[in-house]
Amino acid sequence: MITLKSYVRGEFRVGAADGNVTLVNPATEEAIATTSTKGIDFHGALTYARDVGSPALRAMTFAQRGELLKQMSKSLHEVRDALIEASVQNAGTTRSDSKFDIDGATGTLAYYAELGRKLGDAKILVEGAGEQLTRGARFWGKHVQTPRTGVAVHINAFNFPAWGLAEKAAVALLAGMPIVSKPATSTALATFRVMERLVESKVLPDGALQLICGSVGDMLSHMQSQDVLAFTGGGSTGAQLRGLQNVIDRSVRVNVEADSLNSAILGRDVEVGSDTWQMFLRDVVKEMTQKTGQKCTATRRIFVPSDRMDDVQSEIAARLAETKVGDPSLDEVRMGPLATAQQLRDFRAGIAALVESGAKIVHGSPTEVNAIGVAPGKGFFVAPMLLRADKPFDAHRVHELEVFGPSATLMPYSKDEDVVALVAKGEGSLVASLYSDDRAVLETIVLGIASQSGRVLLGSAKVADQAIAPGLVLPSCVHGGPGRAGGGEELGGERGLSFYMQRTAVQGDRALLDKLLPSAVAEAAKP
Ligand code: NAP
């Protein structure tokens, strides 16, 4: 049995045993680790980050911070196999799904390392040449962004133990902010291994990254006005954290990535068997089954023209039937278990709620699964499930409830305007994908759904052999979405830095500003 430790104030620390939480292997239900944060000085962790980590990071140029990220990426890549093993064991992900998490982590760090190199010797961002502010040509204004002098608290969901830490850390560190990161307790083993490796390889300055393996106790009540809080997880938790009195009183900047009813739309023009048709089916099945459907970007709603419903249903069902479920460490297995017993209960309850709302199950069962290589009755396994709702405007829960597992609901539409309205019933999503080779169809639907979506992927014959599936979050594109999806935005290359920096309009003599910026503000950003 492994005892996870938190990394706080420059040391690994173990919480009191009477606060222990047990982590299990979701394929066998065996206990594999315990963790406790009882007695850990959360207030001290925040102070340490502000007093020690922040000055060290702010004194560095973007290129130097980028170099840190490069070393982090390299160091983690060197222990890739051990991290994959930890993920298989604790998150129940197949080797392929574990790689998706681990390689996503190192890839995002490497991307932001390169961005740091490009931003070079500056320590702050100066936005453009500025503007004349009065009738006289001399009085000038420029916008600059300087790192916030507080600490970034990162709270992550259970489904990406490595990428969750890395994608937020890459952006915060490049912007010049230190981090206290908290993975979801149930799958924290891989995150703990990540932290062990980073500490062992001494790639980061003291105080730049701390880790809490377990509950954060009263930590959020100690946050201050220069601090930021970035959260990924369930919508209700996000709303609760956003509403904390201290967070409101101190105007702590908050970013929330929450639930999302992502859509895949088959255009009316797409012929059965065409390249675009094949791309649509490939993506839908991948998004339903990858990581056992436990991705915030997984497809939950599939909209197809009414006269294609039966064809699409039988194609998806046939592919789902080929998905081998079972022990994630076996090579032939394509889909592991859900991550926890609670996720299994939620999944079954969610399917029941969708059925009650008018959807019917057309493939799979919420209680029966043929899981290979596992002891009978053990593990949190489910079969991939396809549902169908023939009256999509009436099936309200299908547009409201994110069933976090391998399931999606197929729905018909007749007019492009209808599918736009149906997507909007989800009240904001992280991603939508649209498959069509007809410009008019694309224009109506893309412009119709863009305001409801953080990202839109257009699948067409021209990109069928090149495009990635819609669930893959790239560091160069924004990740986030309006409304139910949390209203937040992460990543997006340089755009992501702004969350960790304060934008200030500096006004004065143009010649002075031209000389002083960025150099003088860079000096001011020094501790
Ligand atoms: P969750 O229960 O909301 O937990 C998310 C994180 O918040 C965990 O680290 C959890 O810690 C922590 N947490 C819970 N209550 C807290 C509190 N009062 N104070 C401080 N931290 C608290 O969600 P989950 O079960 O991990 O993830 C499932 C949901 O997340 C899914 O339903 C999905 O919709 C959503 N999700 C969204 C995205 C996205 O990018 N939009 C990505 C992944 C998942 P403990 O584990 O210690 O409780």
Side-chain angles (χ1 to χ4, degrees):
M1 181 88 82
I2 304 155
T3 303
L4 305 193
K5 299 169 198 138
S6 293
Y7 188 71
V8 171
R9 296 172 67 86
E11 278 179 36
F12 278 107
R13 297 170 195 270
V14 182
D18 61 343
N20 267 349
V21 177
T22 302
L23 282 67
V24 301
N25 178 332
T28 61
E29 300 183 41
E30 275 171 308
I32 51 172
T34 59
T35 190
S36 164
T37 57
K38 193 169 178 192
I40 284 185
D41 179 7
F42 300 114
H43 189 190
L46 297 184
T47 308
Y48 195 71
R50 291 184 202 112
D51 293 351
V52 180
S54 170
L57 289 167
R58 282 184 289 125
M60 291 179 176
T61 63
F62 284 113
Q64 289 168 329
R65 294 177 208 145
E67 186 57 30
L68 296 180
L69 301 180
K70 188 172 162 189
Q71 295 310 323
M72 285 171 79
S73 175
K74 207 166 146 250
S75 162
L76 294 178
H77 187 70
E78 283 165 6
V79 293
R80 181 175 183 255
D81 286 344
L83 295 177
I84 290 171
E85 199 46 52
S87 239
V88 171
Q89 209 191 352
N90 183 209
T93 37
T94 61
R95 284 187 68 76
S96 161
D97 286 349
S98 303
K99 284 180 202 163
F100 187 62
D101 181 37
I102 311 299
D103 294 344
T106 51
T108 303
L109 288 165
Y111 172 89
Y112 274 94
E114 177 59 13
L115 179 60
R117 192 191 64 73
K118 285 187 191 145
L119 291 171
D121 290 338
K123 293 176 181 169
I124 63 161
L125 296 173
V126 180
E127 298 176 7
E131 349 190 353
Q132 184 176 321
L133 300 179
T134 56
R135 285 178 68 182
R138 240 182 267 149
F139 191 58
W140 199 253
K142 280 191 177 188
H143 286 86
V144 299
Q145 295 190 63
T146 53
R148 291 190 146 221
T149 57
V151 49
V153 174
H154 291 165
I155 298 181
N156 285 309
F158 70 84
N159 54 349
F160 283 96
W163 179 81
L165 177 140
E167 61 102 15
K168 287 186 171 65
V171 189
L173 291 172
L174 187 60
M177 274 195 95
I179 300 151
V180 174
S181 189
K182 178 215 167 341
T185 307
S186 55
T187 57
L189 177 60
T191 327
F192 170 62
R193 295 287 185 228
V194 163
M195 193 71 213
E196 269 189 329
R197 175 63 180 171
L198 294 176
V199 171
E200 176 191 83
S201 49
K202 297 188 172 68
V203 290
L204 283 168
D206 211 11
L209 178 61
Q210 300 178 78
L211 183 76
I212 307 287
C213 282
S215 161
V216 289
D218 67 348
M219 187 163 79
L220 304 187
S221 67
H222 299 293
M223 292 190 75
Q224 298 181 356
S225 56
Q226 285 283 309
D227 299 342
V228 304
L229 172 62
F231 167 82
T232 297
S236 58
T237 316
Q240 191 191 337
L241 301 190
R242 218 198 295 259
L244 290 174
Q245 200 55 50
N246 182 52
V247 168
I248 294 170
D249 290 347
R250 305 290 190 111
S251 302
V252 173
R253 196 179 271 182
V254 181
N255 191 73
V256 173
E257 303 285 342
D259 316 349
S260 180
L261 280 303
N262 309 300
S263 309
I265 305 163
L266 182 70
R268 287 180 293 107
D269 58 296
V270 179
E271 297 292 338
V272 174
S274 66
D275 287 351
T276 310
W277 166 266
Q278 297 297 355
M279 182 185 181
F280 162 77
L281 292 173
R282 182 195 72 197
D283 283 0
V284 164
V285 173
K286 182 168 198 171
E287 290 308 330
M288 288 178 69
T289 54
Q290 189 175 44
K291 295 196 104 243
T292 318
Q294 298 168 112
K295 276 188 333 200
C296 51
T297 50
T299 299
R300 308 291 176 199
R301 300 181 293 161
I302 309 164
F303 297 108
V304 303
S306 317
D307 59 352
R308 296 270 191 269
M309 281 289 279
D310 293 339
D311 289 329
V312 169
Q313 179 183 318
S314 62
E315 288 276 3
I316 295 178
R319 291 170 196 223
L320 293 179
E322 285 168 12
T323 306
K324 287 192 178 155
V325 181
D327 178 349
S329 65
L330 298 176
D331 283 347
E332 70 263 37
V333 165
R334 289 286 156 270
M335 207 176 88
L338 293 169
T340 63
Q342 184 60 45
Q343 288 300 316
L344 178 60
R345 283 191 290 274
D346 289 352
F347 179 80
R348 288 179 175 156
I351 296 290
L354 299 190
V355 169
E356 201 172 311
S357 179
K360 64 178 181 202
I361 297 169
V362 292
H363 180 83
S365 151
T367 49
E368 284 164 37
V369 57
N370 176 26
I372 53 180
V374 294
K378 284 288 175 196
F380 313 130
F381 294 95
V382 288
M385 297 190 62
L386 183 65
L387 286 80
R388 172 174 175 152
D390 286 300
K391 293 187 177 162
F393 282 100
D394 298 340
H396 300 295
R397 297 297 279 157
V398 173
H399 307 286
E400 293 165 356
L401 180 67
E402 184 192 38
V403 179
F404 211 59
S407 97
T409 305
L410 191 58
M411 288 173 272
Y413 75 92
S414 305
K415 294 189 291 197
D416 293 346
E417 291 72 16
D418 286 350
V419 83
V420 169
L422 286 166
V423 169
K425 277 177 75 66
E427 294 192 24
S429 310
L430 294 172
V431 59
S433 49
L434 165 62
Y435 301 82
S436 169
D437 294 288
D438 182 320
R439 235 173 124 175
V441 169
L442 286 168
E443 197 170 325
T444 308
I445 302 181
V446 172
L447 297 184
I449 65 173
S451 70
Q452 298 289 333
S453 319
R455 187 158 54 83
V456 179
L457 183 140
L458 304 183
S460 63
K462 287 228 166 99
V463 295
D465 61 345
Q466 294 177 13
I468 51 162
L472 181 62
V473 173
L474 293 171
S476 52
C477 292
V478 291
H479 172 56
R484 192 188 310 277
E489 193 174 288
E490 289 183 335
L491 299 171
E494 197 178 317
R495 295 171 191 88
L497 300 180
S498 297
F499 179 67
Y500 299 99
M501 304 181 92
Q502 178 61 41
R503 179 178 283 114
T504 308
V506 182
Q507 303 169 330
D509 172 31
R510 179 177 188 178
L512 183 68
L513 293 194
D514 281 346
K515 245 194 234 155
L516 296 185
L517 295 173
S519 57
V521 181
E523 288 302 312
K526 278 187 181 172

